[in-house]
Amino acid sequence: MAELLRWARQGLTASLWVLAATCAHAQPVVSPQDSGNAALELRVNQLASELRCLVCQNQTIADSHAELAVQLKNEVRTQLAQGRSDDEVRDFMVARYGDFVLYRPPVTTATALLWAGPAVLLLIGLGLLVQHIRARQRLEATSTSTLDSVWPEEPTPKEQA
Amino acid sequence: MKRYLLPLGLFLALASTLALGLKRVDPQALPSPLVGRPVPAFNLTQLDAPQTRITPAQFKGQVWVLNAWASWCVSCRKEHPVLLDLARKGVVPLVGFNYQDQREPGKQWLQKHGNPYQLTVFDEDGRVGMDLGIIGVPETFVIDKQGVIRHKHAGPVTAEWVQQTLLPLLKELQRG
């Protein structure tokens, strides 16, 4: 039993260490360049969090430590500092790495389904719901007796209580 | 029986979509927006001659292959024998693009492993690499006589790629 407890304690300590190490890793790092201009850094970070890191693909270049991500973030900073607009910087990235670099993909024929999909599914769902309600209303109008057997009018035991 | 057909159909549609996704050879491979566009204008020095500047305009009128590599790149070693073999064939000028590297390690690497390139341009900070949309080395571009990028291959090239993709493409481009 004592042996088991010791094992459990060791395991817990080890997992805490792993957790601590992971958290330390996830903390935002100071990028190699920093303009010291808070407003500019805010814009850089906003834009960088919309751009995909091409090396790690599931991170934004704001989150990523990959060399290319740091380099792209520095490029974003340089261009914004030169007075370019957010859209101009976005276009710069798309021209080089394609639409994939954007976390918010533009509406094209390839992404139309992605954008319209949820709305289409919602409409289908609404259509089915309306159809179902109408069918039930028709049923209700023609034979109340059938419905009574399914939904009895007597209060349920819970309601009585 | 009929009421099961719709869910079954939906399931089959979903399953085949996912199966197609699994079949993709390299899920990391991305289409490059640069294919079909002129090679970005650069002005870089030659790796072994810091005074000599190279621009893409020098290659106008011929089909050429630009191969991005670095001395720190492990998969570049894997594709190197293929490039050496291609150079021996002499079917197309190979231009090296030394990406985010340093001159000395770069030169030593070519001495050690052999130099398949007609010349190598040196992109120390990777800024021109950014214009080429390079995500990782090695990457290989096929550029036509008008200076338009016609093909891009990400990752190490293989003998199969040379046989099945490059040689037919070269034949087509060199005719035009």
Side-chain angles (χ1 to χ4, degrees):
Chain A
M1 190 64 201
E3 182 77 351
L4 198 70
L5 269 174
R6 203 163 57 86
W7 272 93
R9 205 167 45 226
Q10 276 177 352
L12 190 68
T13 322
S15 24
L16 279 176
W17 272 110
V18 170
L19 192 69
T22 323
C23 291
H25 186 72
Q27 268 169 12
V29 288
V30 181
S31 52
Q33 280 178 26
D34 195 315
S35 60
N37 174 343
L40 177 65
E41 286 307 308
L42 188 71
R43 273 184 76 203
V44 170
N45 276 320
Q46 267 170 359
L47 201 50
S49 57
E50 281 179 34
L51 297 170
R52 186 187 302 274
C53 165
L54 284 308
V55 182
C56 15
Q57 297 202 355
N58 289 327
Q59 276 186 310
T60 67
I61 63 169
D63 296 334
S64 175
H65 303 249
E67 208 167 324
L68 181 66
V70 174
Q71 200 189 0
L72 288 179
K73 199 176 164 190
N74 288 342
E75 183 67 27
V76 169
R77 180 178 298 105
T78 309
Q79 295 201 5
L80 289 181
Q82 281 166 357
R84 297 218 192 168
S85 73
D86 289 9
D87 276 340
E88 280 169 329
V89 177
R90 260 185 227 116
D91 290 346
F92 173 92
M93 296 295 169
V94 170
R96 282 156 185 77
Y97 303 104
D99 286 339
F100 189 72
V101 76
L102 300 175
Y103 254 102
R104 208 180 306 151
V107 185
T108 62
T109 43
T111 60
L113 192 64
L114 181 71
W115 281 102
V120 170
L121 284 179
L122 184 70
L123 283 178
I124 292 175
L126 279 177
L128 286 174
L129 186 69
V130 168
Q131 206 183 17
H132 182 77
I133 291 172
R134 285 207 181 132
R136 223 176 69 177
Q137 278 172 345
R138 264 201 305 276
L139 205 66
E140 218 167 324
T142 48
S143 79
T144 33
S145 56
T146 347
L147 268 177
D148 283 347
S149 62
V150 184
W151 287 287
E153 268 170 25
E154 295 93 70
T156 57
K158 206 181 166 191
E159 282 170 324
Q160 280 174 331
Chain B
M1 189 60 214
K2 226 174 117 192
R3 58 195 292 227
Y4 296 117
L5 279 180
L6 183 67
L8 185 69
L10 283 175
F11 169 76
L12 286 178
L14 184 67
S16 50
T17 312
L18 294 177
L20 276 180
L22 280 178
K23 269 201 171 164
R24 278 173 63 187
V25 186
D26 180 9
Q28 298 247 326
L30 299 169
S32 172
L34 277 113
V35 172
R37 298 237 301 269
V39 61
F42 60 76
N43 187 340
L44 291 171
T45 63
Q46 216 173 307
L47 178 65
D48 53 3
Q51 288 83 33
T52 315
R53 301 204 79 93
I54 307 289
T55 69
Q58 284 165 245
F59 302 100
K60 271 248 163 92
Q62 58 180 332
V63 182
W64 53 296
V65 168
L66 184 71
N67 173 254
W69 63 278
S71 66
W72 45 263
C73 156
V74 180
S75 22
C76 297
R77 247 169 274 171
K78 204 171 123 195
E79 71 167 6
H80 212 62
V82 179
L83 294 174
L84 287 168
D85 194 48
L86 184 62
R88 267 192 296 271
K89 279 198 182 97
V91 286
V92 69
L94 271 173
V95 177
F97 187 87
N98 189 215
Y99 174 71
Q100 289 197 346
D101 210 343
Q102 285 164 325
R103 255 180 230 280
E104 276 315 307
K107 284 196 283 189
Q108 280 164 17
W109 197 84
L110 286 183
Q111 266 164 18
K112 190 175 163 199
H113 299 279
N115 186 354
Y117 306 114
Q118 189 179 47
L119 59 91
T120 296
V121 294
F122 179 56
D123 183 31
E124 188 171 15
D125 58 4
R127 184 56 187 77
V128 173
M130 194 187 284
D131 285 341
L132 279 164
I134 289 177
I135 293 169
V137 274
E139 279 187 21
T140 306
F141 301 83
V142 183
I143 298 151
D144 72 9
K145 290 180 180 173
Q146 285 76 42
V148 174
I149 298 175
R150 300 298 290 264
H151 181 82
K152 178 188 159 178
H153 180 88
V157 294
T158 59
E160 290 76 51
W161 177 80
V162 171
Q163 281 301 327
Q164 286 160 19
T165 308
L166 181 66
L167 293 181
L169 182 64
L170 285 180
K171 214 177 248 179
E172 184 199 321
L173 294 179
Q174 279 164 348
R175 231 184 296 133

